[in-house]
């Protein structure tokens, strides 16, 4: 008999990404990316965070809130395999799962008390879009959570080499200085779908309230346009 459990959203992440496109494919790939975890009013308790300052990294358990489906499939097409090969859903990190739950390891950059939202967590390296619901937070424990001998299966190495990034000075000026390193890191990870290699195609994604448009050719991501997001 299938059991069902209700879960409560304890917090939401506020990040630079207004949509899924552009979000790093794994946590920790772009350490310069900053985001803020804001607790729901019911969970704004300083007592619940006692001792958290002693940890450098956290596990976030969250919901793929824009990828929820009524039916699930036992196999999926991982993007890193070009979308051509099927793998078992439990051998992938696909968002299309029986339960749309994600897991990310992030750096705890700070614990800050604010007048509007109570105590919030400053994070670095999160792979989450703006508004992502968080179900739980757990401390990362190095002696138990780190497994240097672990095998990575078909995802043992990055799917692509990182890109060089070129941003014309007049466009770079439109990015706040404190966000420029993060944008370069996002572009270097190559946000394009794995099966697309057209050097003439221009892609775009929302970042920090702006739309960033870029193309990729010969291992270089070149920013073509930066404008205010609609």
């Amino acid at each position: 008999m299938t059991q069902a459990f209700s879960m409560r959203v304890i917090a939401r992440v506020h990040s630079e990404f207004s949509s899924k496109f552009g979000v790093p494919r794994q946590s920790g790939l772009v350490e310069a990316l900053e985001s803020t975890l804001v607790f729901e009013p019911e969970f704004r308790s300083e007592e619940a965070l006692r001792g958290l300052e002693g940890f450098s990294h956290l596990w976030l358990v969250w919901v793929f809130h824009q990828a929820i489906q009524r039916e699930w499939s036992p196999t999926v097409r991982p993007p890193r395999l070009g979308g051509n090969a099927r793998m078992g859903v439990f051998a992938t990190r696909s968002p299309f799962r029986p339960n749309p739950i994600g897991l990310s390891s992030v750096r705890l950059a700070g614990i800050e008390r604010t007048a509007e939202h109570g105590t919030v967590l400053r994070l670095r390296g999160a792979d989450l879009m703006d508004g992502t619901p968080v179900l739980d937070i757990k401390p990362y424990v190095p002696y138990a959570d780190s497994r240097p001998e672990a095998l990575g299966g078909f995802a043992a190495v990055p799917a692509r080499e990182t890109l060089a990034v070129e941003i014309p000075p007049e466009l770079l000026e439109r990015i706040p200085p404190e966000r420029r390193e993060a944008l370069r890191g996002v572009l270097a990870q190559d946000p394009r779908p794995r099966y697309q290699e057209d050097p003439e195609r221009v892609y775009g994604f929302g970042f920090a309230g702006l739309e960033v448009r870029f193309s990729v050719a010969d291992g270089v991501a070149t920013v073509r346009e930066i404008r205010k997001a609609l």
Side-chain angles (χ1 to χ4, degrees):
M1 179 178 178
T2 302
Q3 289 183 296
F5 301 90
S6 63
M7 298 279 179
R8 291 184 289 177
V9 174
I10 67 165
R12 293 184 186 273
V13 170
H14 296 277
S15 76
E16 308 287 15
F17 299 99
S18 58
S19 65
K20 293 179 288 185
F21 190 91
V23 176
R25 291 179 173 84
Q26 304 292 342
S27 58
L29 293 181
V30 184
E31 186 76 10
L33 270 177
E34 297 184 359
S35 55
T36 304
L37 186 145
V38 176
F39 289 94
E40 297 290 282
E42 180 182 358
F43 299 100
R44 292 177 186 175
S45 166
E46 297 240 355
E47 290 297 297
L49 301 176
R50 185 189 297 177
L52 194 65
E53 69 280 357
F55 295 91
S56 65
H57 291 74
L58 307 173
W59 290 109
L60 302 184
V61 182
W62 48 276
V63 179
F64 287 102
H65 63 301
Q66 293 200 353
I68 296 176
Q69 296 182 335
R70 290 187 178 181
E71 302 294 332
W72 73 284
S73 170
T75 62
V76 295
R77 300 178 186 270
R80 72 157 41 233
L81 297 180
N84 299 316
R86 283 195 171 273
M87 291 289 175
V89 65
F90 300 130
T92 76
R93 297 190 177 187
S94 167
F96 304 110
R97 324 182 66 78
N99 295 302
I101 296 174
L103 180 68
S104 295
S105 173
V106 299
R107 176 181 290 277
L108 177 60
I111 302 174
E112 181 179 330
R113 294 171 178 81
T114 69
E116 184 178 3
H117 300 299
T119 301
V120 303
L121 305 183
R122 301 297 182 190
L123 309 176
R124 295 181 73 93
D127 55 339
L128 305 174
M129 64 178 293
D130 189 57
T132 296
V134 175
L135 300 177
D136 201 5
I137 301 166
K138 300 178 186 294
Y140 181 99
V141 181
Y143 81 87
D145 294 345
S146 177
R147 291 287 187 267
E149 76 282 6
L151 300 179
F154 66 87
V157 297
R160 285 175 172 164
E161 296 292 329
T162 55
L163 302 174
V165 177
E166 292 186 357
I167 307 177
E170 66 274 15
L171 296 181
L172 187 62
E173 290 180 358
R174 301 179 186 178
I175 300 293
E178 69 275 12
R179 290 180 168 89
R180 292 174 185 174
E181 182 182 355
L183 176 59
R184 288 185 179 277
V186 170
L187 291 167
Q189 292 296 323
D190 197 347
R192 297 176 301 166
R194 294 304 185 204
Y195 51 84
Q196 293 184 3
E197 299 284 351
D198 183 359
E200 301 299 322
R201 182 163 181 172
V202 176
Y203 303 85
F205 64 95
F207 181 85
L210 301 167
E211 183 180 359
V212 178
R213 298 178 62 79
F214 70 100
S215 61
V216 178
D218 299 324
V220 180
T222 302
V223 174
R224 303 297 181 184
E225 185 179 10
I226 295 178
R227 61 190 182 191
K228 287 187 177 181
L230 298 178

